[in-house]
Amino acid sequence: MIERLAAAGLVGFTRMLVGARAHWRAPMPHGQCLYYANHSSHLDTLAIWSALEPARRAATRPVAARDYWDKPGLRRYFSGRVLRAILIERRRDARDGDPLAPAIAALAAGDSLILFPEGTRTAQRLPQPFRGGLHRLAQQFPQLHVVPVWLDTLHRSMPKGARIPLPLYCTAHFGAPLERLPDESRDAFLVRARDALVALADAGSPA
Amino acid sequence: MTAQEKLIAVFGGVVGLLALATIVGRLLRRRGESAVVDNLVARVNAWWAMVAVLAVCFGLGPLANLVVFALISFFALREFITLTPTRPGDHLPLAVAFYVLVPLQYWLIWDQWYGLFAIFIPVYAFLALPALAVFAGDTTDFLERTTKIQWGVMITVYCISHAPALLMLKLRGYDGQGPLLLLYLLLVVQLSDVMQYVFGKLFGRHKLAPVVSPSKTVEGLVGGGLAAIAVGASLWWITPFSPLESAAMSALIVVCGALGGLALSAVKRSLGAKDWGRMIEGHGGMMDRMDSVCYAAPVFFHMTRWFYSG
């Protein structure tokens, strides 16, 4: 109950601050999804999560960095109890075992995920090359819809290093799920996934 | 009639007009669905909501008026900057524009500090915004970026703030009736837009500026403009003007509003958009509704102040 109120509050706050409107460029896929997006600000997770309609949102969990979201207090409460985030250890020395294991477990349990395949935030408009995690998850779950999501203004709302977010309107542009090609190499898949995101960016609104 | 009674009478008239528009929309819909009729109905519904907001804020008094207009400026600036390409180096001046300039400009009206209200943005903000951007050390397109921020702030904050600034004018024999003058401005501007749309749809043949604003026609501008001037002249009893002066003031508002609509439409298209935003169903964004006010408000404010100050 309290978590649901907190979730509504979080969505309201995000909408007020950055709009977070969803624009489906292709028909919404039915079933389990892996949403992947460009990563440029701390608001990215909240923006995609808020842009999804309530039923989808309830079944969707963000994959997030443990070093940012697992801080005592509000951040841990929201990431753990409200967003039900899957926290990934980014520091190699602190890892034990497969860092993607919790994400794989969540997918196996039927959850949809939000993933930022660049691994870290970038100051540029266009994403950096993708890391391998996206490919591994897609390989293990062939029925999963891998959906590109382009966040159009958040790199301007809260660029790396900025403390105060600007209240620009952000639209989350959802593209068509990636086609699954047999015998595609890891690198070719990652390049194709990034290209799909860049194509959404170039067709989108200016900025 | 007291100022209060006049306010109620004018709002009553507006509600009557909207009721009429709603009935016309229903009848048109019964004769057949079309995109134009759907848009008309959406526009009328949005007008009910906007008039309700205005009625509440006029009822609550000047502070509510200022808060609502500060929010209008904030949303308009938000739409403007969202469409304007900016770089990380613009973050500080933009944060100042949103979170400092907007509240400060409206506080100056509340404080009735006319001298600073009139020059704060054109002098101090104009000079400060590029100075704040300098510290980010990014000179790429520096002049273009600075200009766009300054332009956005001038239009959405400075120009729009002149509408509620009518509340602080001290006019001869017109004490405490500022809200009526604000209502008069809004009514004539918006009625001119609506009437131009209606006359354009009914009689429009010759496009006024096909590239800049494809829906505007010469017939719409002349017919709608004359209708708005007629209504404005007949509302002389809520203003400090005589009937003839009221017609002249309405004509001024109509001409400025039309020019504002065209100029801002050109700006919007140069930024690659068809609508400023999606905030108001059927209309587009806040700036699609306020573009005429941006031009009409400052000119109407200064003309009134120049000729009627007591």
Side-chain angles (χ1 to χ4, degrees):
Chain A
M1 181 62 203
I2 297 206
E3 274 72 37
R4 283 174 69 184
L5 270 179
L10 205 54
V11 171
F13 169 77
T14 310
R15 291 251 165 97
M16 203 173 70
L17 193 63
V18 294
R21 206 179 57 86
H23 176 31
W24 289 85
R25 298 276 193 79
M28 265 186 241
H30 294 287
Q32 202 178 2
C33 292
L34 172 60
Y35 306 100
Y36 71 95
N38 54 318
H39 198 18
S40 51
S41 86
H42 288 311
L43 294 167
D44 295 354
T45 306
L46 286 178
I48 298 179
W49 194 71
S50 304
L52 293 170
E53 76 242 45
R56 261 168 204 274
R57 191 188 306 137
T60 303
R61 303 173 63 184
V63 178
R66 179 173 296 282
D67 46 290
Y68 179 75
W69 284 99
D70 199 16
K71 293 267 170 66
L74 267 186
R75 238 187 258 181
R76 181 178 288 161
Y77 172 76
F78 276 113
S79 67
R81 304 290 293 276
V82 182
L83 293 163
R84 299 188 302 130
I86 295 155
L87 298 179
I88 300 280
E89 187 56 69
R90 287 194 295 191
R91 292 162 298 186
R92 287 183 189 279
D93 49 329
R95 276 183 194 168
D96 88 278
D98 180 5
L100 274 184
I104 292 168
L107 285 173
D111 289 325
S112 289
L113 298 186
I114 298 170
L115 182 78
F116 299 102
E118 294 164 81
T120 185
R121 291 174 293 138
T122 170
Q124 274 80 49
R125 173 172 171 267
L126 293 179
Q128 296 165 310
F130 287 177
R131 306 236 206 136
L134 183 71
H135 177 251
R136 262 179 69 201
L137 296 178
Q139 281 267 297
Q140 287 207 22
F141 296 89
Q143 84 297 346
L144 196 61
H145 299 295
V146 183
V147 180
V149 186
W150 173 252
L151 295 169
D152 60 3
T153 56
L154 289 182
H155 64 287
R156 295 165 53 210
S157 281
M158 212 176 165
K160 222 169 179 168
R163 283 171 188 280
I164 309 165
L166 299 177
L168 308 181
Y169 286 105
C170 170
T171 303
H173 301 264
F174 291 80
L178 291 182
E179 224 180 305
R180 298 305 193 90
L181 306 177
D183 309 322
E184 189 179 30
S185 75
R186 172 177 168 275
D187 290 348
F189 174 83
L190 292 175
V191 167
R192 190 159 64 89
R194 185 179 175 278
D195 288 348
L197 199 55
V198 172
L200 278 178
D202 292 340
S205 43
Chain B
M1 270 209 260
T2 65
Q4 192 74 23
E5 286 164 351
K6 287 179 181 172
L7 263 182
I8 293 170
V10 174
F11 266 107
V14 172
V15 167
L17 268 180
L18 277 179
L20 186 69
T22 305
I23 293 168
V24 170
R26 291 267 163 86
L27 290 177
L28 284 174
R29 201 166 242 185
R30 201 171 287 177
R31 281 175 44 185
E33 304 273 328
S34 79
V36 176
V37 175
D38 283 346
N39 180 256
L40 179 83
V41 172
R43 275 172 188 253
V44 174
N45 289 342
W47 271 120
W48 279 109
M50 289 188 271
V51 167
V53 170
L54 282 182
V56 169
C57 85
F58 273 93
L60 290 176
L63 183 60
N65 264 316
L66 286 178
V67 170
V68 165
F69 272 91
L71 285 172
I72 290 175
S73 279
F74 186 84
F75 284 120
L77 183 62
R78 205 175 169 185
E79 288 172 356
F80 193 99
I81 300 298
T82 297
L83 289 183
T84 306
T86 58
R87 292 165 61 89
D90 300 318
H91 196 270
L92 182 59
L94 286 174
V96 167
F98 279 109
Y99 302 124
V100 180
L101 296 186
V102 173
L104 214 52
Q105 176 73 0
Y106 284 88
W107 177 79
L108 290 171
I109 301 175
W110 176 246
D111 198 51
Q112 310 217 346
W113 191 346
Y114 172 75
L116 193 55
F117 158 83
I119 63 160
F120 173 60
I121 287 177
V123 176
Y124 296 104
F126 175 79
L127 298 173
L129 287 168
L132 288 171
V134 156
F135 295 105
D138 180 3
T139 54
T140 309
D141 298 329
F142 187 82
L143 178 60
E144 286 82 350
R145 284 158 45 208
T146 304
T147 314
K148 282 170 182 161
I149 298 172
Q150 287 168 330
W151 219 84
V153 169
M154 274 300 286
I155 281 290
T156 63
V157 186
Y158 186 70
C159 288
I160 290 180
S161 74
H162 281 72
L166 289 166
L167 299 176
M168 72 170 163
L169 283 182
K170 304 251 183 302
L171 306 177
R172 283 190 297 273
Y174 197 68
D175 264 354
Q177 300 188 60
L180 282 172
L181 208 55
L182 172 59
L183 186 61
Y184 174 83
L185 167 71
L186 294 177
L187 203 64
V188 175
V189 174
Q190 300 297 352
L191 207 63
S192 166
D193 277 5
V194 171
M195 285 321 218
Q196 285 182 44
Y197 170 87
V198 171
F199 275 78
K201 284 274 179 271
L202 292 178
F203 311 109
R205 295 281 178 278
H206 304 89
K207 291 205 180 300
L208 182 65
V211 178
V212 173
S213 199
S215 61
K216 282 211 166 71
T217 62
V218 179
E219 292 80 359
L221 177 64
V222 174
L226 287 176
I229 293 169
V231 173
S234 70
L235 283 173
W236 64 273
W237 48 277
I238 66 166
T239 68
F241 319 134
S242 72
L244 200 62
E245 291 165 350
S246 184
M249 279 297 192
S250 289
L252 182 76
I253 293 172
V254 165
V255 170
C256 292
L259 293 176
L262 286 171
L264 284 164
S265 185
V267 170
K268 176 172 70 179
R269 274 160 217 283
S270 81
L271 292 172
K274 196 180 109 2
D275 283 328
W276 283 103
R278 299 162 200 281
M279 197 178 167
I280 311 174
E281 192 67 37
H283 294 257
M286 180 64 82
M287 275 299 279
D288 290 294
R289 208 55 282 129
M290 295 303 288
D291 51 3
S292 335
V293 177
C294 293
Y295 266 55
V299 179
F300 178 65
F301 175 92
H302 285 294
M303 288 301 229
T304 307
R305 184 171 176 276
W306 179 255
F307 287 111
Y308 298 91
S309 262

